[in-house]
Amino acid sequence: MQLQSLGAAGTVTGSAHLLTVGGKQYLIDCGLFQGDAALEARNTEPFPFEVAALRAVLLTHAHLDHVGRLPLLVKRGYRGSIYCTPPTLKLAETVLLDSARLQLEGYKQDLQKARRMGQEHEVPQPLYDEEDVYRTVALMRPLLEFGQTLTLEKLNIRPERAGHILGSAYLVTDTPEGRVIFSGDLGNRESGLQQDFTPPPEADAVVIETTYANRTHRPLPETLQEFANALRESIPLGGKILIPSFAIERAQTILYVLKQMMDSGEVPRVPVFLDSPMAARATHEYFEYGDELISEVRQILHDGEDPFWPSTLHVVTSSQESQRINRYTGAAIILAGNGMMSGGRIQHHLKHQLWKPSTSLVVVSYQSPSSIGGQIVSGASHVHVLGEDIAVRAHIHTIGGFSAHADQDDLLSWLSTTGQAHIWTVHGEVAVMNSFIDLLATQGRTAERMPVRGAVDLLTTHFPQGRPFGEVQMAQHARMSDE
Ligand SMILES: [Zn+2]
């Protein structure tokens, strides 16, 4: 039983793991690398296995960094099944179509620039197009149900609730050699919409994400208080309140919270514009599969209401309509993508509103330091948006607690029921993984980083590129002598 990481070992994107059991190969997730040019160049690399011979693909959830290379796999000859939960199928279709559209737009812009320099032959083609996405969706089988076992030859796969986004699962895989659990992305137990993850069973090995393994999220009640305060301060200014938001999970959380706060009178009712077609489609799926969410959401649904529809909501579809919002006078909340303000319709709103002192920018998502959002939250006086230098005169509110990812406490809690399973860390920065491995050692757990290249035998403890085994043993020993 071998595992080879094809992404997300030593980085937080591009999740893809090739599992070999009984001579057959299975791919767990097939995510896109996102970030700088060097990282994104890895998307074009050939898959290090015979694509047509792959037995099956298993998905944990629909985020682009877990599904974004699927159409490329299909374009390169994969014709087998892609197994996922029913909501993951719906969300993945939305995510992949958006990705194909963005790639095409980016390609056209690059081509235009390159033509002016006479270098049009050097512009790389999009990785895939909408046709490839539709071919991919046709291979998707929504047969993974929480708690139910799917058998593929010698592999039994049981998805369990991961509590990260709608439809997200971790996968318990049983083979004749032992049990391995793939965490996918695990959820924040105070996420606001998702039920908590199901505690995993004991296993021989676990492959766990470590995105936020070095931090603890602010408690949800404090986050909600901060959010309400930001809105109460912003609304009397009479300007636009911009909330840049990721289309999946964050947009729905914000819509749900806005509805709650406006219905209870905690926040005055003002128009809310959802200016993201992708978020609108995803919100429809959250409504459709609302029974998967926390009991408060289920109760609203059972009362015949839409939990994601504040009474003042306008869903904006066309880009003309989006531009017309700028002419609307008076306070209004605008939710638009993308979350880091590095693209999408939020940029038009930044260009038209960010320089006005009556505007408020309420940041509810992580901002990478180099993104436009990152520059704004770190205090830039001007930012470059859509070819113009825009003064930052808006009021900036940064709300840090709305994460969909497990924090350190969540990860430790999830691991606590896995017995003495050997732990392989993925999907995290190297320094974060190393400190988490140290922490686990103090708790008597053995853990190592999944190597970036090359396969490992999941069930034998050798440390090819991770930490030397002796160090872990010593840390364990030190703890035992303390006791
Ligand atoms: Zn995710």
Side-chain angles (χ1 to χ4, degrees):
M1 184 181 195
Q2 287 211 318
L3 187 74
Q4 186 178 359
S5 173
L6 313 178
T11 174
V12 290
T13 60
S15 270
H17 303 288
L18 184 69
L19 181 68
T20 308
V21 179
K24 295 225 167 8
Q25 291 189 306
Y26 305 84
L27 192 60
I28 292 154
D29 289 337
C30 192
L32 200 69
F33 289 103
Q34 297 166 277
D36 58 29
L39 201 56
E40 289 182 3
R42 289 184 63 185
N43 288 319
T44 57
E45 288 177 8
F47 292 103
F49 55 86
E50 198 189 329
V51 170
L54 189 66
R55 173 61 184 85
V57 180
L58 307 163
L59 300 181
T60 62
H61 67 291
H63 270 149
L64 194 62
D65 59 336
H66 291 257
V67 301
R69 273 188 289 167
L70 281 174
L72 193 61
L73 190 73
V74 173
K75 192 176 171 180
R76 291 179 183 171
Y78 181 64
R79 295 292 175 269
S81 294
I82 300 166
Y83 296 98
C84 59
T85 64
T88 293
L89 192 161
K90 295 295 180 81
L91 292 177
E93 180 174 6
T94 298
V95 164
L96 293 174
L97 283 172
D98 185 69
S99 167
R101 213 196 64 238
L102 284 178
Q103 288 182 47
L104 184 63
E105 276 174 20
Y107 171 71
K108 283 181 179 167
Q109 282 170 9
D110 291 349
L111 196 62
Q112 193 63 31
K113 272 187 221 160
R115 276 207 185 107
R116 291 194 282 264
M117 294 186 286
Q119 293 170 349
E120 58 264 46
H121 302 297
E122 289 169 29
V123 180
Q125 295 275 332
L127 293 170
Y128 47 81
D129 59 20
E130 287 194 4
E131 291 298 314
D132 298 310
V133 173
Y134 288 122
R135 271 190 279 273
T136 304
V137 173
L139 299 176
M140 292 179 77
R141 307 278 175 263
L143 294 175
L144 296 186
E145 297 278 357
F146 294 139
Q148 310 279 319
T149 300
L150 174 81
T151 302
L152 300 173
E153 288 90 36
K154 293 198 162 99
L155 190 65
N156 284 336
I157 304 126
R158 196 176 87 225
E160 293 287 359
R161 187 185 300 284
H164 167 57
I165 62 166
L166 184 68
S168 62
Y170 63 84
L171 304 177
V172 180
T173 58
D174 283 304
T175 77
E177 293 169 64
R179 171 178 285 169
V180 179
I181 306 177
F182 294 90
S183 77
D185 282 352
L186 295 169
N188 174 359
R189 287 175 296 167
E190 287 196 286
S191 76
L193 288 184
Q194 299 300 322
Q195 295 184 50
D196 289 358
F197 49 69
T198 308
E202 287 194 8
D204 299 295
V206 299
V207 178
I208 187 170
E209 65 111 341
T210 50
T211 318
Y212 291 136
N214 63 339
R215 69 168 91 163
T216 308
H217 299 317
R218 182 166 302 188
L220 186 63
E222 279 179 33
T223 303
L224 294 175
Q225 196 56 53
E226 270 186 292
F227 184 64
N229 289 345
L231 295 179
R232 279 199 298 260
E233 281 171 31
S234 304
I235 290 170
L237 301 176
K240 301 291 178 296
I241 300 156
L242 308 181
I243 308 183
S245 173
F246 296 118
I248 294 179
E249 191 74 14
R250 193 61 38 86
Q252 293 75 35
T253 304
I254 297 300
L255 287 172
Y256 171 69
V257 167
L258 284 174
K259 178 180 165 60
Q260 299 289 307
M261 289 177 173
M262 287 182 178
D263 284 357
S264 68
E266 196 180 354
V267 162
R269 280 191 205 280
V270 292
V272 178
F273 294 95
L274 177 62
D275 189 14
S276 159
M278 186 179 168
R281 278 194 297 276
T283 304
H284 177 76
E285 302 306 337
Y286 272 69
F287 176 80
E288 197 79 352
Y289 292 98
D291 276 343
E292 292 291 320
L293 304 172
I294 52 171
S295 60
E296 291 86 340
V297 171
R298 295 201 298 270
Q299 188 57 50
I300 298 171
L301 282 166
H302 294 163
D303 292 343
E305 273 198 74
D306 185 337
F308 309 108
W309 203 280
S311 63
T312 52
L313 180 67
H314 304 267
V315 176
V316 179
T317 48
S318 70
S319 50
Q320 291 90 331
E321 234 183 311
S322 168
Q323 280 154 19
R324 276 204 299 273
I325 306 175
N326 288 307
R327 285 187 248 140
Y328 178 90
T329 52
I333 294 170
I334 302 171
L335 257 98
N338 65 30
M340 290 197 203
M341 309 176 227
S342 50
R345 290 186 181 177
I346 193 69
Q347 293 205 324
H348 287 281
H349 300 300
L350 291 173
K351 180 173 158 181
H352 291 285
Q353 308 295 341
L354 199 58
W355 53 274
K356 297 177 187 167
S358 63
T359 300
S360 302
L361 178 68
V362 182
V363 180
V364 293
S365 311
Y366 168 78
Q367 305 296 316
S368 85
S370 60
S371 66
I372 291 176
Q375 295 166 38
I376 294 173
V377 296
S378 60
S381 62
H382 288 76
V383 283
H384 203 66
V385 184
L386 297 173
E388 287 185 36
D389 260 336
I390 309 292
V392 183
R393 294 207 191 102
H395 296 254
I396 314 296
H397 301 267
T398 308
I399 316 288
F402 281 119
S403 182
H405 268 281
D407 66 6
Q408 189 182 77
D409 293 342
D410 295 319
L411 293 173
L412 291 174
S413 160
W414 188 83
L415 283 170
S416 68
T417 55
T418 59
Q420 277 305 308
H422 187 76
I423 298 162
W424 299 89
T425 64
V426 295
H427 206 283
E429 300 298 343
V430 171
V432 173
M433 287 197 266
N434 284 343
S435 69
F436 191 54
I437 288 167
D438 286 341
L439 176 67
L440 289 168
T442 66
Q443 303 191 346
R445 299 294 300 262
T446 51
E448 62 185 308
R449 276 190 278 131
M450 181 62 67
V452 176
R453 309 252 175 201
V456 292
D457 191 325
L458 277 177
L459 300 176
T460 53
T461 309
H462 61 113
F463 288 71
Q465 286 181 29
R467 298 169 49 76
F469 188 39
E471 267 183 57
V472 178
Q473 276 186 324
M474 275 167 63
Q476 254 177 282
H477 184 73
R479 176 153 189 265
M480 281 189 284
S481 16
D482 287 342
E483 290 163 358

